Amino acid sequence: MRILIDIAHPGHVHLFKNLYFELKSIHKIWVTVKDIPIAIQLLKHYNIPYQKLGTKKDHILAKAYSQLHYNYLIYRLVRKNNIEIGIGSSLALAHVSAISSMNSIILDDDDDHVQPLFVKFGHPFADYLVSPASLIGNRKKKNTIFYNGFHELAYLLPNRFVPDVRVLKELNIDISEKFFVLRFNRFMAHHDIGHRGISLEQKLRIISLLKKYGRIFITSEGDLEPELMDYQLKINPEKIHSLLAFSQMFIGDSQTMTSEAAVLGVPSVKCNSFAGKLSVPNELEDTYGLCYAFQPGRFDEFLDKIKDLLELNGRNEEWKKRRLKMLKDKIDLSDFLIWMISNYPESVTSTSINTDLLAQFRLNETN
């Protein structure tokens, strides 16, 4: 089979890397990526060959123009190589599948109401959407395949990821030393229009609280403000999950890293205007108690929650128990995707949530 994997975000490298390595010896695979430095750095680290499409744009009109360019480049690649399946989370794959013989499988874990542009201009053209079961009732597209899991469980399950303790030595952190990871976003994606995260003044208040309890490391989507440079995290991007796993807590306004920390069993506290509006983080919070989310207008409550967690006895052991409960309910998403692609098109017509079919992708052991 001839397969295209399109990378539109650094997190997609992690999301699809196991799929790539499992299938590359059996099928012919192409990988495309926008000119996203961290995504390209990750692809190089994992020795995944790629073709670069072009630079991401911030302004909405520039995004629209760039989208046409991405579509053209992918269409040309698909036609030249007779690609049969495209998998990713991009508009380009959906659009090209509508005008070519390629079938598109789009992974989408956001609710319809928070991404109206993608729902309007992407969903109708996709052959299939693949979404967490959290979104049942919040996804309008009929041919959506629901699975019991999260994107982050494609790469952060215990059988797929073991934290590398060497990252602590690289940052001169003693194994018994307490530290915190913070992540701040720019909110420039199409689905971020009208949304906001944590202000500089609020960031400084977080630091003032945390520095009494341990070291602070900040990673940011854009350039850090001068006032925060002393805390800037300087490690290669493939090491961030190991650092997260050893941390006491994750704090920030990032959607992805909040969920990543949560599925690793690390207490996670998020403050942005998406809080309470997204089904996946709501499930991680309401069903499993692995993370907490607050609107920017509730920043004082956000700080109070951090204080409560800092003073909570037995916090680490409690979060291990909560994580184990979550893992027992979920599937290995990478295994599921590998099976889906390998058995396409029969797989997409026989899959639904709560079937014996999906049970085979549960972990046999969790720890």
Side-chain angles (χ1 to χ4, degrees), residues 14-15 109 132 147 149-157 160-161 241 255-264 280 284 331 333-334:
H14 299 297
L15 179 59
D109 65 348
Y147 65 90
F150 310 118
H151 277 190
E152 294 75 20
L153 294 181
Y155 53 95
L156 292 178
L157 286 172
R160 293 196 176 275
F161 172 74
H241 298 130
Q255 304 293 116
T256 299
M257 283 193 70
T258 298
S259 295
E260 287 176 334
V263 302
L264 285 169
V280 168
L284 284 167
I331 68 167
L333 178 56
S334 285

Side-chain angles (χ1 to χ4, degrees), residues 318-367:
E318 175 61 27
W319 254 254
K320 287 180 182 178
K321 293 177 183 177
R322 296 182 185 189
R323 183 196 188 207
L324 184 58
K325 177 185 175 184
M326 179 271 297
L327 291 176
K328 286 181 177 178
D329 291 343
K330 304 303 178 185
I331 68 167
D332 183 327
L333 178 56
S334 285
D335 274 352
F336 177 52
L337 294 176
I338 292 163
W339 171 85
M340 178 182 291
I341 296 296
S342 299
N343 293 278
Y344 191 88
E346 290 81 5
S347 58
V348 295
T349 59
S350 61
T351 308
S352 62
I353 198 65
N354 294 326
T355 65
D356 292 338
L357 186 81
L358 282 179
Q360 68 182 294
F361 304 109
R362 289 185 183 275
L363 283 179
N364 292 322
E365 296 181 6
T366 53
N367 53 33

Side-chain angles (χ1 to χ4, degrees), residues 157-165 242:
L157 286 172
N159 62 324
R160 293 196 176 275
F161 172 74
V162 177
D164 187 349
V165 72
S242 290

Side-chain angles (χ1 to χ4, degrees), residues 9-23:
H9 182 277
H12 295 167
V13 180
H14 299 297
L15 179 59
F16 296 116
K17 66 183 179 185
N18 294 315
L19 173 75
Y20 172 82
F21 287 117
E22 289 281 344
L23 296 183

Side-chain angles (χ1 to χ4, degrees), residues 5-230:
I5 299 173
D6 186 40
I7 304 296
H9 182 277
H12 295 167
V13 180
H14 299 297
L15 179 59
F16 296 116
K17 66 183 179 185
N18 294 315
L19 173 75
Y20 172 82
F21 287 117
E22 289 281 344
L23 296 183
K24 71 172 185 154
S25 62
I26 306 170
H27 304 288
K28 176 65 175 175
I29 302 178
W30 289 261
V31 176
T32 52
V33 62
K34 295 176 183 176
D35 191 6
I36 308 167
I38 293 179
I40 291 172
Q41 189 175 347
L42 287 169
L43 288 168
K44 289 179 177 177
H45 170 77
Y46 294 117
N47 293 315
I48 299 175
Y50 64 88
Q51 296 185 38
K52 195 161 61 175
L53 296 179
T55 305
K56 289 187 72 173
K57 306 296 183 182
D58 290 338
H59 191 278
I60 189 65
L61 293 178
K63 285 179 183 289
Y65 175 79
S66 296
Q67 189 60 55
L68 295 174
H69 184 59
Y70 301 147
N71 290 1
Y72 168 72
L73 293 176
I74 288 183
Y75 176 76
R76 189 172 64 178
L77 180 68
V78 168
R79 283 291 302 271
K80 179 180 178 181
N81 297 287
N82 297 314
I83 293 173
E84 300 163 81
I85 295 179
I87 184 167
S89 298
S90 68
L91 280 171
L93 282 184
H95 290 168
V96 171
S97 69
I99 57 173
S100 71
S101 59
M102 181 188 75
N103 291 321
S104 58
I105 296 175
I106 305 299
L107 273 67
D108 186 357
D109 65 348
D110 285 329
D111 297 72
D112 283 2
H113 69 274
V114 301
Q115 50 170 359
L117 293 178
F118 194 67
V119 170
K120 183 175 181 180
F121 297 109
H123 285 190
F125 304 101
D127 290 294
Y128 294 94
L129 294 185
V130 177
S131 297
S134 318
L135 290 168
I136 293 176
N138 294 304
R139 173 71 78 236
K140 295 176 182 178
K141 188 172 176 65
K142 291 182 179 179
N143 53 341
T144 299
I145 297 168
F146 293 103
Y147 65 90
N148 221 350
F150 310 118
H151 277 190
E152 294 75 20
L153 294 181
Y155 53 95
L156 292 178
L157 286 172
N159 62 324
R160 293 196 176 275
F161 172 74
V162 177
D164 187 349
V165 72
R166 290 175 297 181
V167 71
L168 301 183
K169 184 176 181 180
E170 183 176 338
L171 293 168
N172 296 314
I173 303 172
D174 186 85
I175 190 66
S176 62
E177 190 174 3
K178 295 182 178 180
F179 66 92
F180 307 92
V181 176
L182 281 60
R183 167 75 174 183
F184 302 122
N185 277 0
R186 292 195 305 151
F187 290 85
M188 296 299 294
H190 68 87
H191 52 259
D192 292 331
I193 296 172
H195 287 278
R196 62 190 176 96
I198 299 173
S199 69
L200 175 59
E201 184 271 332
Q202 291 170 335
K203 294 171 187 176
L204 294 173
R205 289 178 64 188
I206 295 169
I207 290 170
S208 179
L209 169 63
L210 292 179
K211 65 184 181 182
K212 307 169 189 174
Y213 293 88
R215 292 175 67 182
I216 298 167
F217 297 95
I218 300 178
T219 172
S220 177
E221 187 177 21
D223 295 332
L224 274 182
E225 296 91 336
E227 296 90 335
L228 307 180
M229 290 300 295
D230 287 345

